[in-house]
PDB file of all heavy atoms in Angstrom:
ATOM      1  N   THR A  80     -62.610  17.656-157.770  1.00  0.00           N
ATOM      2  CA  THR A  80     -62.560  17.205-156.410  1.00  0.00           C
ATOM      3  C   THR A  80     -62.454  18.402-155.433  1.00  0.00           C
ATOM      4  O   THR A  80     -61.643  19.208-155.567  1.00  0.00           O
ATOM      5  CB  THR A  80     -61.348  16.221-156.136  1.00  0.00           C
ATOM      6  OG1 THR A  80     -61.472  15.135-157.072  1.00  0.00           O
ATOM      7  CG2 THR A  80     -61.382  15.704-154.745  1.00  0.00           C
ATOM      8  N   LEU A  81     -63.433  18.366-154.472  1.00  0.00           N
ATOM      9  CA  LEU A  81     -63.497  19.408-153.461  1.00  0.00           C
ATOM     10  C   LEU A  81     -63.028  18.872-152.129  1.00  0.00           C
ATOM     11  O   LEU A  81     -63.407  17.789-151.697  1.00  0.00           O
ATOM     12  CB  LEU A  81     -64.912  19.929-153.318  1.00  0.00           C
ATOM     13  CG  LEU A  81     -65.389  20.832-154.402  1.00  0.00           C
ATOM     14  CD1 LEU A  81     -66.915  20.859-154.435  1.00  0.00           C
ATOM     15  CD2 LEU A  81     -64.857  22.229-154.186  1.00  0.00           C
ATOM     16  N   HIS A  82     -62.165  19.627-151.493  1.00  0.00           N
ATOM     17  CA  HIS A  82     -61.667  19.326-150.108  1.00  0.00           C
ATOM     18  C   HIS A  82     -62.262  20.396-149.230  1.00  0.00           C
ATOM     19  O   HIS A  82     -61.775  21.492-149.160  1.00  0.00           O
ATOM     20  CB  HIS A  82     -60.192  19.302-150.081  1.00  0.00           C
ATOM     21  CG  HIS A  82     -59.568  18.289-150.989  1.00  0.00           C
ATOM     22  ND1 HIS A  82     -59.335  16.999-150.599  1.00  0.00           N
ATOM     23  CD2 HIS A  82     -59.162  18.384-152.282  1.00  0.00           C
ATOM     24  CE1 HIS A  82     -58.815  16.309-151.626  1.00  0.00           C
ATOM     25  NE2 HIS A  82     -58.708  17.147-152.693  1.00  0.00           N
ATOM     26  N   LEU A  83     -63.348  20.048-148.553  1.00  0.00           N
ATOM     27  CA  LEU A  83     -64.022  20.964-147.651  1.00  0.00           C
ATOM     28  C   LEU A  83     -63.572  20.690-146.186  1.00  0.00           C
ATOM     29  O   LEU A  83     -63.580  19.546-145.788  1.00  0.00           O
ATOM     30  CB  LEU A  83     -65.555  20.830-147.738  1.00  0.00           C
ATOM     31  CG  LEU A  83     -66.127  21.198-149.125  1.00  0.00           C
ATOM     32  CD1 LEU A  83     -66.459  19.924-149.894  1.00  0.00           C
ATOM     33  CD2 LEU A  83     -67.265  22.075-148.958  1.00  0.00           C
ATOM     34  N   GLU A  84     -63.238  21.740-145.506  1.00  0.00           N
ATOM     35  CA  GLU A  84     -62.657  21.619-144.180  1.00  0.00           C
ATOM     36  C   GLU A  84     -63.619  20.799-143.255  1.00  0.00           C
ATOM     37  O   GLU A  84     -64.822  21.084-143.210  1.00  0.00           O
ATOM     38  CB  GLU A  84     -62.460  23.019-143.535  1.00  0.00           C
ATOM     39  CG  GLU A  84     -61.676  23.020-142.235  1.00  0.00           C
ATOM     40  CD  GLU A  84     -61.320  24.422-141.905  1.00  0.00           C
ATOM     41  OE1 GLU A  84     -62.144  25.092-141.123  1.00  0.00           O
ATOM     42  OE2 GLU A  84     -60.209  24.904-142.260  1.00  0.00           O
ATOM     43  N   PRO A  88     -63.353  14.334-148.845  1.00  0.00           N
ATOM     44  CA  PRO A  88     -63.325  14.955-150.167  1.00  0.00           C
ATOM     45  C   PRO A  88     -64.581  14.479-150.942  1.00  0.00           C
ATOM     46  O   PRO A  88     -65.110  13.356-150.760  1.00  0.00           O
ATOM     47  CB  PRO A  88     -62.089  14.348-150.777  1.00  0.00           C
ATOM     48  CG  PRO A  88     -61.219  13.942-149.656  1.00  0.00           C
ATOM     49  CD  PRO A  88     -62.172  13.559-148.524  1.00  0.00           C
ATOM     50  N   VAL A  89     -65.014  15.398-151.846  1.00  0.00           N
ATOM     51  CA  VAL A  89     -66.154  15.125-152.698  1.00  0.00           C
ATOM     52  C   VAL A  89     -65.732  15.217-154.114  1.00  0.00           C
ATOM     53  O   VAL A  89     -65.162  16.260-154.537  1.00  0.00           O
ATOM     54  CB  VAL A  89     -67.259  16.190-152.454  1.00  0.00           C
ATOM     55  CG1 VAL A  89     -68.446  15.992-153.417  1.00  0.00           C
ATOM     56  CG2 VAL A  89     -67.765  16.147-151.004  1.00  0.00           C
ATOM     57  N   ASN A 104     -64.267  26.676-145.366  1.00  0.00           N
ATOM     58  CA  ASN A 104     -62.953  26.744-146.004  1.00  0.00           C
ATOM     59  C   ASN A 104     -62.790  25.519-146.894  1.00  0.00           C
ATOM     60  O   ASN A 104     -63.108  24.395-146.522  1.00  0.00           O
ATOM     61  CB  ASN A 104     -61.802  26.790-144.967  1.00  0.00           C
ATOM     62  CG  ASN A 104     -61.889  28.019-144.072  1.00  0.00           C
ATOM     63  OD1 ASN A 104     -62.531  29.010-144.456  1.00  0.00           O
ATOM     64  ND2 ASN A 104     -61.306  27.985-142.929  1.00  0.00           N
ATOM     65  N   MET A 105     -62.237  25.767-148.124  1.00  0.00           N
ATOM     66  CA  MET A 105     -62.149  24.701-149.073  1.00  0.00           C
ATOM     67  C   MET A 105     -61.080  24.986-150.124  1.00  0.00           C
ATOM     68  O   MET A 105     -60.584  26.084-150.247  1.00  0.00           O
ATOM     69  CB  MET A 105     -63.490  24.476-149.784  1.00  0.00           C
ATOM     70  CG  MET A 105     -63.871  25.647-150.721  1.00  0.00           C
ATOM     71  SD  MET A 105     -65.522  25.458-151.448  1.00  0.00           S
ATOM     72  CE  MET A 105     -66.573  25.879-150.069  1.00  0.00           C
ATOM     73  N   THR A 106     -60.763  23.923-150.866  1.00  0.00           N
ATOM     74  CA  THR A 106     -59.934  24.037-152.054  1.00  0.00           C
ATOM     75  C   THR A 106     -60.465  22.982-153.034  1.00  0.00           C
ATOM     76  O   THR A 106     -61.051  21.982-152.620  1.00  0.00           O
ATOM     77  CB  THR A 106     -58.480  23.810-151.759  1.00  0.00           C
ATOM     78  OG1 THR A 106     -57.665  24.086-152.922  1.00  0.00           O
ATOM     79  CG2 THR A 106     -58.135  22.411-151.250  1.00  0.00           C
ATOM     80  N   GLY A 107     -60.291  23.297-154.312  1.00  0.00           N
ATOM     81  CA  GLY A 107     -60.767  22.339-155.355  1.00  0.00           C
ATOM     82  C   GLY A 107     -59.570  21.872-156.194  1.00  0.00           C
ATOM     83  O   GLY A 107     -58.557  22.657-156.251  1.00  0.00           O
ATOM     84  N   SER A 108     -59.645  20.718-156.754  1.00  0.00           N
ATOM     85  CA  SER A 108     -58.529  20.236-157.576  1.00  0.00           C
ATOM     86  C   SER A 108     -59.011  19.310-158.686  1.00  0.00           C
ATOM     87  O   SER A 108     -60.161  18.781-158.664  1.00  0.00           O
ATOM     88  CB  SER A 108     -57.532  19.495-156.655  1.00  0.00           C
ATOM     89  OG  SER A 108     -58.154  18.378-156.084  1.00  0.00           O
ATOM     90  N   GLU A 110     -57.577  15.957-159.948  1.00  0.00           N
ATOM     91  CA  GLU A 110     -56.640  14.932-159.656  1.00  0.00           C
ATOM     92  C   GLU A 110     -56.585  13.871-160.702  1.00  0.00           C
ATOM     93  O   GLU A 110     -55.949  12.825-160.611  1.00  0.00           O
ATOM     94  CB  GLU A 110     -57.019  14.271-158.261  1.00  0.00           C
ATOM     95  CG  GLU A 110     -56.905  15.287-157.150  1.00  0.00           C
ATOM     96  CD  GLU A 110     -57.528  14.798-155.790  1.00  0.00           C
ATOM     97  OE1 GLU A 110     -57.895  13.611-155.712  1.00  0.00           O
ATOM     98  OE2 GLU A 110     -57.591  15.655-154.899  1.00  0.00           O
TER      99      GLU A 110
END
Side-chain angles (χ1 to χ4, degrees):
T80 301
L81 283 159
H82 300 272
L83 296 104
E84 191 171 87
V89 176
N104 298 340
M105 68 184 77
T106 186
S108 63
E110 299 169 7

